[in-house]
Amino acid sequence: MAIQLSHRARAIKPSPTLTVSSLAKKMKAQGIDVINFGVGEPDFNTPEYIKEEAKKAIDDNFTRYTASAGIIELRRVISEKLLRDNDLHCDPEDILVSPGAKASIINVLMAVCDPRDEVIIPSPYWVSYTSQVEMVDSFPVIVPTKASAKFKLKAKVLDQTLKTLSNPKALILNSPNNPTGSVYSRKELTEIAEVCIKHNILIISDEIYEKLIYDNEKHVSIASISKEVREHTVVINGVSKAYAMTGWRLGYCAGPSEIIKQASRIQSHTTSCVNAMTQKAAIVALRECDGSVTRMREEFELRRNYFIERVRQIDNVTCIKPHGAFYVMPNISFYLQKNKRGIKTSVDLCEYLLQQHHIAVVPGSAFGADNYVRFSYANSMENIKEGLVRFERGLLELLT
Ligand SMILES: Cc1ncc(COP(=O)(O)O)c(C=O)c1O
């Protein structure tokens, strides 16, 4: 008889972004010319100065277990970075380095959440938040945001939601946002922080797209608003997106000592530490020696500008301008309602676009927003141009 899986394992759905990507890869392997807009990673290579440092670490035999929370030189560099970029005073002891920001978030959730605690997640949301909250036996409380509010959570709505909950524990806030590209202003963050303090909940502030901001907008870390807010916030960040280092696996969290200490203990019994050479490489990455972050950001901005202008030319598609990250989320509700092919959901639409028009796009339902699809523009300009031609053709064909 087969071994019964745990309730946790049974509750977890596969990441839809990875599902789309793997289907697209399979079609590519069959020789089909698929343009993949599903991936959530920069298409650039890791800058040379970072790779050199990792090679040196291997040659120097820096290849053993490290302190579970991360080597102290790296935590010092992160502490300097938090002060320089985010106006945050954070002791290296209050920083935990983990195998990716994804691991940082679950470590924090494990450190603070009890079964049946409630964690607020504004939608559209990054796919892993809900699954991670469920993995610690807590409840995700989804609070929808509106396109007219640029998909940003309003403090008043947060306050009203919190009043209805029995065990509110945390809010997961993500600015710049995946999938919407929204960036919260200092004023908006201040209002949200006031509500979180009033209800005594933790803010888990995912700032992984911090370096990818356009239109002269500025990233504000909510933790920098005041000492009191800092005491209620764990900042999540990492090297994946800013330095094109997704496969290296390094993220970190910084926050109140007790939470970080407990999250470190948890990590010491699971992954132990981030691999030693990645930690060395991250030290130089965070010092940003060669301007590559700026160059990547500028290239993303050009692509976003083209994307937005072109996608808005498609009949009956609306799209808010994202100010950060590398995603665009067009509203395709017209085509869900008016098509003659029985396509009712964003999943149906994405299957159709992949199979008939050879573009891989993530269904909005993965982010709690079925009237949308998400494109990642971490792709060449050539692919973006051709992909949008296919997208338009695919949508228009639905009406015939
Ligand atoms: C909003 C958000 N947070 C965290 C992560 C995870 O980053 P990491 O590669 O550091 O685990 C991602 C990756 O897609 C993301 O989009």
Side-chain angles (χ1 to χ4, degrees), residues 17 40-41 98-105 126-129 174 176-179 206-209 236-241 245-247 249-252 326-327 374:
T17 45
E41 61 183 343
S98 300
K102 209 177 237 183
S104 305
I105 300 168
W126 179 49
V127 289
S128 292
Y129 295 147
N174 174 215
N177 185 275
N178 172 11
D206 182 349
E207 303 178 13
I208 191 85
Y209 292 98
I236 307 285
N237 210 326
V239 297
S240 286
K241 314 288 177 174
M245 291 178 74
T246 47
R249 309 311 300 133
L250 190 141
Y252 56 88
F326 41 65
Y327 307 102
R374 189 199 75 176

Side-chain angles (χ1 to χ4, degrees), residues 288-322:
E288 292 182 20
C289 316
D290 75 344
S292 48
V293 177
T294 307
R295 283 196 296 278
M296 288 191 269
R297 195 199 62 71
E298 285 169 358
E299 178 60 30
F300 279 135
E301 186 160 9
L302 288 177
R303 295 174 188 178
R304 183 214 53 169
N305 292 347
Y306 175 82
F307 201 112
I308 281 292
E309 206 185 313
R310 178 69 183 85
V311 85
R312 284 176 171 171
Q313 288 166 5
I314 302 176
D315 285 348
N316 301 303
V317 168
T318 55
C319 192
I320 67 155
K321 191 178 190 178

Side-chain angles (χ1 to χ4, degrees), residues 42 51 85 123 132 166 219 254 283 313 360 376:
K51 293 196 285 198
D85 295 353
S123 79
Q132 291 202 342
S166 348
H219 171 71
I283 292 176
Q313 288 166 5
S376 155

